[in-house]
């Protein structure tokens, strides 16, 4: 293969144009409800994009990239992590040719351009649009015969550049799919590598309309993976080369899952004129998001019906209940998490997919945080069991723009720069705990020359934006601040000095990862506009935020543990590779800290016991982590297991009766499950051997 500098041909750039009469350059991300009063919408969708829906489905039948038209080495297939279709949707301004000329500058290295019929001739007449590899087509041209022609042309193009490699063209019986048949599309890249696309079409045609296409997709994907495993068994050399990759890649020890779960809370319907019944055009767009992401990950795609209002009611009540930490009833919290789990189970049951045992990672397109749910057979929330990436659906136009392009993957395994923006004033009574976190981070990296931590004191929004501009090379931005949630104004943001900031500027330079160490900046129960969502809009790849007010002491422990895990994974001390996996591990193993955590009234006897050195020089908390819990914590029951193991240690130390009494009367609050990562934390690599090799090669070449 050629080196990476000549790999531009591997990326296929699919452009879709839609007609508009004018273009709003000074875009306002916080949209007033009245803007949509005349348009029936559930998730705030710009209906001028409806005309391109057929074009999007067509492109999802084509190769994602150059490697899809080659017969690939199994090692390359196993290394595949996230390879989406690169679909760029652009406006075609009818009444402003000067501005359209500027837009046409975006249409670089075009593989294909598709547009609605009514602007087709105008697009053809644009002399400054370079003819794409496959040409320019109107939507009415798109059909099965053209799918095969485009696969063939892309194969011939790739063969000219890499003539020594055999091409891999879609089977002649493959056809455009419709309606629920599209559940098979995420299987096409893998199936095509094994000549399995004919079987896909044959078996889908055996199913009656309304059959469970999800179950079919699950069965077919397992067959495809079994083919790979059989190949490995039959070829010892391949087995030796790929054994490590399979161990390190959870996608081949389970099934990556993409879930689309639309629906909004009733308060949004009543207050902001949004419609409860999901319009068909929004249903299709949400399905396109799910299908596009599942294709990128070689994942299953589970399209669920609109979420029940009861689930949002439970979530809203839970967030409201947790607003005052002194009044939290832990038994109520756990009952609510179980009720949410039962309601979610009702949605999952029809698909008959075993999330707990057969799914490796979950990406969920929804305004609802399913990670809070305690599913059947579990006593811990789902976020403790599986790594989950949340992709909020509202506003749907922005979710669509974020998803359809090919975003770069990020590697933090070599150099790492962390910027801590301290927005809590020194006179604030919680500042001393914020300083503990700062000192923890500084101490952890004292002997790490490849990790740089910069601390900036921020007192105004203008200083904050100056800081972002100054540290454009930052990898992680940790924001220590107060959060503010005003349900009547429908917004949750950051308090910086005397200002409330929503990160809604159009000229921000945001690092790939943003960690919001602040209270209730991303509540989901009432559908508010969230500063976390707007950081994604500003360019962040992954944002961590909270649903509720959090205890600053517990937050310090949690964020410290997150960075400890990041630094350890960088050193290769774990098979974990990505940020979402790290976060899931941190949450799963945080139960011990929550059980012995100080109460709202101050320290308690359990906390003192767990952190007091005994005569033999050990601490009960250290004994739990290093000895008693090893191999005994089940992710599905991590809280219950932690309680029982701590109970053993407490009885051994002579405070067993107090321990039982405390747990029975007070319980414990699972605060870490009320955080969520939105965006693509699964594409933030802390450890990756291939990326490490490329990093070293590029470093040598640039010297």
């Amino acid at each position: 293969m050629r080196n990476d500098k000549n790999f531009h041909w591997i990326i296929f750039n699919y452009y879709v144009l839609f007609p508009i009469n004018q273009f709003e350059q000074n875009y306002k991300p916080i949209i007033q409800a009245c803007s949509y009063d005349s348009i029936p919408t559930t998730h705030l969708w710009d209906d001028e994009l409806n005309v391109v829906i057929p074009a999007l489905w067509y492109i999802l039948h084509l190769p994602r990239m150059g490697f899809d038209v080659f017969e690939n080495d199994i090692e390359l297939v196993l290394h595949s992590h996230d390879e989406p279709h690169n679909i760029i949707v652009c406006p075609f301004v009818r009444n402003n040719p000067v501005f359209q000329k500027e837009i046409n500058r975006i249409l670089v290295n075009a593989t294909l351009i598709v547009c609605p019929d009514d602007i087709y001739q105008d697009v053809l007449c644009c002399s400054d649009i370079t003819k794409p590899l496959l040409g320019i087509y109107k939507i009415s041209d798109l059909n099965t015969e053209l799918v095969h022609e485009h696969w063939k042309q892309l194969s011939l193009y790739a063969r000219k550049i890499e003539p020594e490699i055999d091409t891999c063209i879609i089977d002649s019986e493959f056809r455009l799919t419709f309606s629920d048949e599209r559940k098979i599309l995420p299987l096409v890249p893998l199936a095509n590598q094994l000549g399995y696309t004919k079987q896909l079409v044959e078996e889908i045609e055996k199913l009656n309309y309304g059959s469970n296409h999800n179950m079919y997709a699950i069965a077919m994907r397992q067959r495809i993976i079994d083919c790979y495993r059989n190949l490995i068994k039959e070829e010892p050399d391949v087995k030796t080369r790929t054994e490590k990759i399979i161990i390190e890649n959870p996608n081949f020890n389970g099934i990556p899952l993409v879930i689309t779960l639309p629906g909004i809370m009733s308060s949004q319907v009543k207050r902001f004129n949004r419609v409860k019944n999901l319009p068909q055009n929004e249903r299709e767009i949400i399905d396109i998001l799910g299908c596009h992401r599942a294709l990128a990950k070689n994942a299953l795609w589970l399209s669920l019906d609109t979420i029940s209002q009861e689930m949002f009611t439970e979530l809203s009540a839970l967030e409201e209940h947790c607003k005052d930490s002194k009044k939290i009833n832990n038994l109520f919290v756990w009952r609510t998490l179980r009720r949410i789990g039962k309601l979610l189970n009702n949605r999952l049951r029809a698909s008959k997919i075993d999330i707990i045992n057969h799914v490796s990672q979950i990406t969920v397109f929804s305004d609802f945080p399913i990670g809070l749910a305690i599913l059947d057979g579990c006593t811990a929330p789902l976020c403790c069991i599986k790594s989950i990436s949340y992709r909020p659906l509202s506003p749907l136009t922005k979710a669509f723009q974020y998803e359809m392009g090919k975003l770069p993957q990020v590697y933090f395994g070599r150099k790492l720069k962390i910027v801590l923006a301290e927005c809590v004033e020194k006179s604030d009574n919680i500042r001393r705990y914020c300083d503990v976190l700062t000192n923890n981070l500084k101490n952890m990296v004292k002997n790490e020359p490849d990790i740089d931590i910069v601390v900036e004191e921020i007192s105004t929004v203008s200083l904050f934006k100056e800081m972002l501009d100054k540290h454009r090379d930052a990898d992680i931005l940790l924001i220590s601040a107060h959060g503010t949630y005003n349900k009547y104004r429908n917004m949750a943001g950051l308090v910086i000095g005397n200002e409330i900031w929503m990160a809604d500027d159009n000229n921000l330079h945001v690092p790939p990862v943003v960690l919001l160490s602040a209270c209730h900046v991303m509540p989901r129960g009432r559908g508010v506009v969230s500063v976390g969502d707007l950081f994604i809009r500003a360019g962040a790849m992954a944002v961590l935020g909270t649903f509720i007010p959090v205890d600053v002491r517990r937050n310090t422990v949690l964020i410290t543990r997150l960075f400890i895990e990041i630094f350890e994974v960088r050193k290769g001390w774990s098979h974990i590779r990505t940020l979402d996996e790290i976060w899931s591990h941190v949450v799963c193993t945080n139960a011990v800290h929550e059980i012995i955590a100080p109460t709202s009234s101050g320290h308690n006897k359990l906390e003192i016991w767990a952190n007091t050195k005994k005569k033999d020089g050990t601490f009960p908390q250290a004994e739990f982590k290093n000895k008693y819990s090893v191999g005994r914590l089940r992710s599905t029951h991590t809280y219950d297991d932690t309680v029982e193991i701590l109970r053993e240690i407490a009885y051994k130390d002579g405070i067993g009766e107090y321990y039982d009494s405390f747990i029975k009367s007070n319980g414990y609050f699972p605060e870490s499950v009320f955080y969520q990562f939105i965006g693509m934390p699964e594409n933030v690599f802390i450890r990756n051997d291939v990326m490490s090799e490329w990093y070293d090669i590029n470093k040598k070449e640039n010297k």
Side-chain angles (χ1 to χ4, degrees):
M1 272 289 180
R2 298 164 185 252
N3 64 44
D4 64 322
K5 291 183 179 178
N6 294 317
F7 269 14
H8 65 274
W9 62 270
I10 291 176
I11 305 299
F12 293 156
N13 299 311
Y14 299 109
Y15 290 92
V16 179
L17 306 183
F18 66 96
I20 62 172
N21 291 322
Q22 59 182 0
F23 187 74
E24 177 58 56
Q25 291 178 275
N26 189 24
Y27 177 73
K28 300 292 185 183
I30 300 179
I31 304 166
Q32 299 302 318
C34 60
S35 302
Y36 287 87
D37 280 354
S38 62
I39 306 167
T41 180
T42 299
H43 285 289
L44 301 178
W45 171 249
D46 291 331
D47 65 348
E48 61 190 5
L49 289 164
N50 291 340
V51 293
V52 303
I53 289 176
L56 300 172
W57 280 122
Y58 176 83
I59 291 169
L60 294 179
H61 289 75
L62 298 179
R64 301 167 300 172
M65 56 181 175
F67 287 129
D68 280 349
V69 296
F70 283 145
E71 288 187 4
N72 290 308
D73 184 275
I74 189 171
E75 289 182 80
L76 183 62
V77 175
L78 291 176
H79 270 300
S80 175
H81 177 80
D82 188 288
E83 300 296 344
H85 290 81
N86 190 34
I87 303 176
I88 305 100
V89 181
C90 296
F92 189 85
V93 188
R94 299 175 192 259
N95 302 328
N96 193 334
V98 174
F99 188 67
Q100 183 58 41
K101 191 170 184 177
E102 291 301 311
I103 294 177
N104 291 342
R105 295 177 186 273
I106 301 172
L107 310 181
V108 295
N109 298 323
T111 304
L112 172 69
I113 294 177
V114 183
C115 64
D117 291 31
D118 61 337
I119 61 171
Y120 176 66
Q121 290 299 328
D122 293 330
V123 174
L124 285 180
C125 292
C126 277
S127 59
D128 53 337
I129 294 180
T130 304
K131 185 178 179 181
L133 173 66
L134 299 178
I136 301 173
Y137 290 85
K138 55 183 181 292
I139 287 177
S140 62
D141 290 333
L142 308 179
N143 55 44
T144 293
E145 290 72 23
L146 195 61
V147 168
H148 288 283
E149 178 61 26
H150 283 162
W151 270 86
K152 181 180 178 181
Q153 289 183 44
L154 291 173
S155 174
L156 291 172
Y157 167 69
R159 188 66 180 270
K160 287 179 181 177
I161 298 170
E162 297 289 350
E164 73 278 9
I165 301 178
D166 292 330
T167 53
C168 187
I169 303 176
I170 201 82
D171 190 273
S172 60
E173 294 192 26
F174 181 72
R175 61 171 174 78
L176 284 176
T177 57
F178 301 93
S179 189
D180 279 350
E181 294 177 346
R182 291 166 174 152
K183 297 292 189 307
I184 71 165
L185 286 179
L187 304 178
V188 169
L190 276 175
N192 188 51
Q193 287 293 317
L194 293 173
Y196 232 79
T197 48
K198 181 179 180 181
Q199 288 90 326
L200 285 180
V201 174
E202 288 176 348
E203 297 210 17
I204 200 73
E205 289 178 345
K206 293 177 186 177
L207 297 173
N208 296 321
Y209 183 78
S211 297
N212 193 332
H213 291 73
N214 287 319
M215 286 300 297
Y216 164 76
I218 293 168
M220 288 300 293
R221 188 186 191 282
Q222 192 55 52
R223 274 190 232 173
I224 293 168
I225 296 300
D226 287 344
C227 285
Y228 277 111
R229 294 190 185 281
N230 290 335
L231 175 61
I232 291 170
K233 289 177 183 177
E234 293 168 6
E235 299 188 25
D237 290 343
V238 174
K239 182 177 188 296
T240 301
R241 295 198 313 269
T242 59
E243 219 165 35
K244 181 182 177 184
I245 302 170
I246 290 177
I247 291 171
E248 293 181 359
N249 189 344
N251 291 349
F252 278 80
N253 295 315
I255 307 172
L257 178 66
V258 175
I259 298 175
T260 49
L261 180 59
I264 57 172
M265 56 301 302
S266 58
S267 60
Q268 293 288 313
V269 176
K270 294 174 183 176
R271 292 184 60 199
F272 303 113
N273 299 316
R274 289 158 72 178
V275 296
K276 182 178 179 180
N277 297 323
L278 187 70
Q280 178 58 31
N281 59 323
E282 294 189 23
R283 170 85 268 178
E284 279 212 64
I285 289 297
I286 292 169
D287 282 349
I288 285 169
L289 299 184
C291 186
H292 181 262
R293 181 78 344 227
L295 269 159
K297 298 165 72 69
N298 289 317
L300 286 174
W301 160 40
L302 188 59
S303 177
L304 298 179
D305 292 334
T306 305
I307 197 168
S308 69
Q309 284 301 309
E310 192 176 356
M311 288 180 69
F312 274 117
T313 300
E314 294 285 357
L315 176 60
S316 182
L318 186 59
E319 291 179 352
E320 188 70 22
H321 177 80
C322 294
K323 281 175 64 176
D324 187 344
S325 60
K326 295 181 180 179
K327 297 180 180 179
I328 292 176
N329 182 321
N330 293 324
L331 296 178
F332 170 82
V333 171
W334 284 99
R335 283 197 303 269
T336 305
L337 298 183
R338 286 191 288 270
R339 283 197 295 269
I340 290 173
K342 287 182 180 179
L343 293 168
L344 181 61
N345 264 316
N346 293 338
R347 295 300 168 107
L348 295 173
R349 195 170 287 120
S351 68
K352 299 181 181 179
I353 184 170
D354 187 348
I355 283 182
I356 303 302
N357 295 311
H358 295 154
V359 168
S360 57
Q361 190 270 348
I362 302 172
T363 301
V364 55
F365 289 89
S366 180
D367 290 344
F368 191 90
I370 67 169
L372 289 172
I374 298 177
L375 300 180
D376 288 347
C378 305
T379 57
L382 183 60
C383 62
C384 298
I385 305 166
K386 301 296 175 183
S387 58
I388 304 175
S389 298
Y390 292 99
R391 307 287 290 279
L393 284 174
S394 302
L396 186 55
T397 302
K398 182 53 62 177
F400 171 78
Q401 291 170 330
Y402 182 71
E403 167 60 31
M404 299 311 291
K406 181 179 176 62
L407 296 176
Q409 295 174 6
V410 175
Y411 177 53
F412 289 168
R414 294 297 190 186
K415 288 284 188 180
L416 180 61
K417 180 177 179 179
I418 303 163
V419 174
L420 195 165
E422 184 54 78
C423 306
V424 177
E425 296 180 0
K426 292 182 179 180
S427 59
D428 195 303
N429 59 3
I430 73 164
R431 176 57 188 261
R432 60 193 175 106
Y433 298 106
C434 302
D435 290 340
V436 170
L437 175 57
T438 300
N439 292 329
N440 286 346
L441 293 178
K442 287 181 177 179
N443 289 332
M444 281 191 280
V445 301
K446 275 183 178 178
N447 299 314
E448 302 289 343
D450 289 333
I451 302 177
D452 184 21
I453 291 184
V454 179
V455 180
E456 297 276 5
E457 294 283 343
I458 305 295
S459 57
T460 66
V461 170
S462 60
L463 281 176
F464 195 104
K465 290 191 282 190
E466 286 177 17
M467 176 270 299
L468 289 178
D469 197 54
K470 182 170 71 171
H471 297 293
R472 293 193 181 200
D473 59 339
D475 300 300
I476 299 175
L477 172 64
L478 171 60
I479 302 175
S480 172
H482 286 290
T484 179
Y485 166 33
N486 188 323
K487 65 181 180 182
Y488 300 105
R489 293 188 61 206
N490 202 48
M491 290 194 294
L494 295 169
V495 178
I496 301 178
N498 297 321
E499 302 172 83
I500 295 175
W501 190 51
M502 294 298 299
D504 56 344
D505 306 71
N506 287 329
N507 58 348
L508 298 179
H509 301 279
V510 179
V513 175
V514 177
L515 308 175
L516 300 176
S517 180
C519 290
H520 54 195
V521 285
M522 294 202 307
R524 296 297 179 193
R526 299 179 66 87
V528 302
V529 178
S530 151
V531 66
D533 295 343
L534 290 172
F535 268 116
I536 290 289
R537 170 191 174 266
M541 179 168 285
V543 178
L544 178 70
T546 59
F547 304 138
I548 60 170
V550 292
D551 185 283
V552 65
R553 297 162 296 182
R554 298 181 185 185
N555 175 263
T556 296
V557 172
L558 189 65
I559 300 301
T560 298
R561 293 191 64 240
L562 171 60
F563 278 102
I564 289 173
E565 292 296 329
I566 289 173
F567 299 154
E568 290 188 350
V569 169
R570 276 171 50 89
K571 296 175 181 176
W573 295 352
S574 167
H575 287 313
I576 293 175
R577 300 186 304 162
T578 55
L579 187 58
D580 66 314
E581 294 170 345
I582 290 174
W583 178 250
S584 181
H585 175 72
V586 168
V587 174
C588 179
T589 55
N590 203 56
V592 61
H593 298 283
E594 293 166 345
I595 292 169
I596 65 172
T599 63
S600 57
S601 58
H603 297 286
N604 64 68
K605 190 175 178 179
L606 278 190
E607 181 197 10
I608 296 171
W609 159 72
N611 294 292
T612 300
K613 184 184 292 187
K614 297 189 289 188
K615 292 181 180 179
D616 62 0
T618 62
F619 295 83
Q621 185 180 163
E623 283 186 303
F624 172 88
K625 293 180 178 179
N626 300 328
K627 180 180 177 182
Y628 288 93
S629 69
V630 176
R632 296 177 61 187
L633 289 178
R634 298 166 294 172
S635 61
T636 50
H637 302 280
T638 185
Y639 282 94
D640 282 8
D641 290 349
T642 300
V643 167
E644 287 306 308
I645 296 168
L646 280 174
R647 185 173 185 270
E648 289 178 28
I649 303 172
Y651 269 93
K652 180 176 69 71
D653 290 351
I655 67 162
E657 291 184 4
Y658 172 82
Y659 178 88
D660 286 341
S661 174
F662 182 89
I663 295 296
K664 184 177 180 180
S665 59
N666 294 281
Y668 46 89
F669 181 59
E671 190 165 287
S672 60
V673 308
F674 290 91
Y675 291 69
Q676 72 169 186
F677 251 122
I678 62 172
M680 298 185 184
E682 73 274 23
N683 281 350
V684 179
F685 282 87
I686 312 301
R687 185 180 66 82
N688 185 297
D689 292 342
V690 173
M691 289 182 173
S692 179
E693 288 178 19
W694 283 118
Y695 179 93
D696 291 339
I697 291 171
N698 290 332
K699 187 176 180 181
K700 289 178 182 177
E701 290 180 351
N702 293 329
K703 280 186 177 180

